């Protein structure tokens, strides 16, 4: 196991190094002069030259890349051009919205998917199964931002139960913050839960035919107990894989959903940064999100290997 | 895989409800998109404030939006945008990804390892993040969406092609071809590709539907095709601001997306059952 973790860690760091290099090349080398790009066509020569120096663009690209990497490792992401505050501060504030939202969505999708999949698997081929599968088919096809808009219409515009958008901040109390995050989390969770329920159902259907389930039943366990104690536990492996694979969709979804609800999270930050051509912020946010995808994939692989020793040999 | 004859395919298509429904929906959307190239009920670049926010009528089947544009016409052009973006993105994935996957499977060793690591790297860049980077530099546009979604499709097709090719690599007919002295490229073209074509078709349908969803998301946040080109995503974005007095505007584009994506998913499921009869029992 240790050898596997070491080998996998090496490739994690290699992927991170290349991924950061890709972001660096796209955002700092491709545009020619990022300072000119950030200031726009009407900028004066001397303003551009000043920003050029401030950004350290007179240094060679390779040394800038390593300075940037070293900065990130120590938590220094540079200073936002438009906000004139450290990017790490901006990102930290925004993460306080994005992270809880993503986690709520993840939790909700698991909480919804499990019972739904168990009911479907137990009634395989019957009406309950077919209708659940049809529903998940719809759930996968519904864009989460459209579902979000519909939720806003029903719960905020028509019923006036929750605010239609905005975020009061955690200082306003957990209750108010939770109210602001519940609709976005539900919208994000719908497609995730649908995919999860489908995967979990077919995994359960597969395991229900395994010999150990029959043995468990022969031992006198009820159908219900055998299902929950043995089948669900074994079906967890594919679920873990799907959660890992879906993580990048969850990130993308969160960024888009924040725009539906005007939530001041990472997603809003990056879109504001694009409009203001604040490449420093764009660069940091993109790297942060890419790194999180790479790291989650890594963790899922490790967890997977811990559960199933056969996978360590790869 | 069992022998496929035109008659067996025709029968499977008749018997497969997923395929029939999916193909019908997909054909309808495709037709609307193609028709929009030559005709829409109204031109959408003409604003007519006098006709704004009309309900459905004989003149405007689905009513008009806040600029008095005909919703049905906008939906048709939106279909065209969506399909064009998703289709080209699938094309990018196939044209680059499939040769990469085949190369990895054929050569093995460090080439294969390198291609797999490249796949892992690309998977770390969801289409949205690629689009964010491209837009930050080049400004928004439909091409960004195509490139961003297309890049993400490359490793998907590389994996499918590689996996399929590896499965056939050690089969008798491939070895027989090797013994007969056929070159690598000829073996791939004559023996491997025809056998993995159905895997690629099914995956292509799945990526097509994911591409439609991704395009909708990107154009919703303003990273896709720009006005005056209509997109389903931007129609939803604009509708959101008018929800208090014109909620119907948020309905049609969303339904169009759901119908198209469901149609493609059903088509993909159906195709998988038809093209790979062995899978049928496991799925059912």
């Amino acid at each position: 196991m240790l050898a596997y973790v070491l080998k996998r860690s090496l490739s994690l760091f290699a992927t991170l190094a290349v991924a950061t290099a890709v972001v660096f090349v796209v955002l700092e080398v491709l545009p020619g002069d990022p300072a000119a790009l950030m200031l726009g066509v009407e900028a004066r020569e001397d303003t551009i030259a000043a920003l050029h120096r401030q950004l350290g663009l007179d240094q060679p690209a390779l040394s800038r890349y390593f300075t940037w990497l070293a900065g990130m490792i120590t938590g220094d992401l540079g200073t936002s051009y438009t906000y004139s505050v450290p990017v790490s501060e901006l990102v930290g504030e925004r993460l306080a919205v994005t992270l809880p939202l993503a986690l709520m969505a993840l939790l909700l999708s698991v909480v919804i998917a499990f019972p739904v999949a168990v009911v479907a698997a137990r009634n395989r081929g019957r009406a309950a199964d077919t209708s659940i599968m049809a529903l998940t088919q719809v759930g996968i096809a519904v864009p989460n931002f459209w579902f979000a808009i519909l939720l806003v219409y029903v719960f905020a515009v028509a019923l006036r139960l929750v605010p239609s958008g905005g975020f009061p901040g955690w200082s306003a109390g957990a209750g108010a913050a939770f109210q602001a995050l519940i609709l976005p989390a539900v919208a994000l969770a719908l497609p995730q839960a649908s995919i999860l329920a489908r995967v979990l159902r077919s995994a359960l259907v597969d395991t229900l035919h395994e010999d150990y389930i029959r043995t468990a039943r022969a031992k006198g366990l009820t159908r219900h107990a055998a299902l929950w104690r043995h089948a669900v536990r074994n079906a967890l492996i594919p679920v873990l894989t799907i959660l890992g694979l879906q993580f990048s969709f969850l990130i993308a979804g969160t960024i888009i959903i924040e725009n539906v609800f005007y939530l001041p999270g990472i997603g809003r930050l990056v879109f504001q940064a694009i409009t203001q051509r604040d490449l420093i912020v764009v660069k940091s946010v993109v790297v942060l999100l890419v790194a999180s995808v790479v790291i989650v994939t890594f963790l899922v692989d490790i967890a997977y290997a811990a559960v199933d020793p056969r996978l360590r040999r790869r | 895989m069992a022998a496929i004859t035109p008659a067996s395919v025709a029968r499977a298509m008749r018997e497969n409800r997923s395929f029939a429904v999916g193909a019908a929906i997909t054909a309808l959307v495709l037709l609307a998109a193609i028709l929009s190239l030559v005709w829409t009920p109204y031109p959408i670049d003409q604003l007519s404030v006098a006709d704004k926010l009309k309900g459905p009528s004989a003149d405007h089947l689905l009513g008009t939006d806040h600029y008095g544009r005909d919703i049905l016409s906008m939906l048709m052009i939106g279909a065209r945008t969506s399909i064009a973006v998703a289709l080209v993105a699938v094309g990018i994935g196939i044209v680059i990804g499939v040769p990469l996957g085949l190369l990895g499977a054929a050569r093995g060793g460090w080439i294969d390892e390198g291609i797999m690591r490249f796949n892992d790297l690309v998977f770390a860049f969801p289409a949205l993040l690629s689009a964010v980077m491209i837009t930050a530099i080049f400004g928004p546009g439909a091409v960004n969406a195509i490139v961003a979604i297309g890049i993400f499709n490359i490793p998907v097709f590389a994996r499918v092609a590689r996996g399929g090719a590896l499965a056939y690599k050690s089969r008798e007919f491939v070895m027989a071809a090797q013994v007969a002295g056929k070159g690598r490229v000829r073996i791939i073209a004559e023996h491997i590709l025809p056998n993995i074509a159905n895997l690629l078709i099914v995956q292509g349908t799945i990526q097509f539907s994911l591409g439609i969803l991704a395009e909708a998301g990107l154009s919703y946040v303003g990273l896709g095709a720009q006005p005056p080109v209509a997109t389903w995503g931007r129609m939803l974005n604009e509708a959101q601001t008018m929800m208090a007095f014109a909620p119907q505007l948020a309905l049609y584009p969303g339904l169009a997306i759901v119908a198209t994506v469901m149609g493609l998913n059903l088509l993909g499921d159906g195709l998988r059952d038809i093209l790979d009869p062995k899978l049928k029992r496991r799925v059912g």
Side-chain angles (χ1 to χ4, degrees), chain A residues 11 15 18-19 22-23 26-27 30-31 37 124 137-138 140-143 145-146 149-150 152-153 157 198 201 248-249 251-252 255-256 259-262 270-271 274 279 282 286 289-290 293-294, chain B residues 117 120-121 123-126 128-129 132-133 135-138 152 210 213 216-218 220-221 223 233 236-237 240-241 243-244 247 250-251 254-255 257-258 261-262 265-266 269 281-284:
Chain A
S11 88
T15 311
V18 182
V22 168
V23 175
V26 172
L27 291 176
L30 269 189
L37 182 78
R124 187 181 170 216
Q137 189 73 261
V138 179
I140 290 172
V142 172
F145 63 92
W146 183 53
I149 294 173
L150 297 180
V152 168
Y153 181 70
V157 178
R198 291 183 79 87
R201 173 199 170 270
S248 68
F249 289 99
I251 295 245
I255 288 177
I256 293 178
N259 280 274
V260 181
F261 293 91
Y262 307 102
V270 80
F271 286 117
I274 290 180
L279 287 187
V282 173
V286 170
L289 297 180
V290 167
V293 173
V294 175
Chain B
R117 291 288 82 80
D120 289 349
L121 177 74
F123 270 130
F125 287 87
L128 184 79
L129 289 185
V132 160
M133 285 201 292
T135 308
I137 294 170
F138 299 106
F152 200 72
L210 287 175
L213 276 177
L218 289 177
Y220 172 79
V221 290
L223 300 180
L236 284 173
N237 186 323
Q240 201 191 339
T241 57
M243 212 133 57
L251 210 57
L255 288 176
I257 299 170
V258 173
V261 172
M262 272 188 78
N265 286 346
L266 288 172
D269 284 354
R281 270 171 290 132
R282 271 190 31 212
V283 174

Side-chain angles (χ1 to χ4, degrees), chain B residues 110-132:
Chain B
W110 65 269
I111 294 183
D112 190 30
E113 188 64 27
I115 291 171
M116 294 298 282
R117 291 288 82 80
F118 167 78
N119 285 349
D120 289 349
L121 177 74
V122 178
F123 270 130
F125 287 87
L128 184 79
L129 289 185
S130 303
V132 160

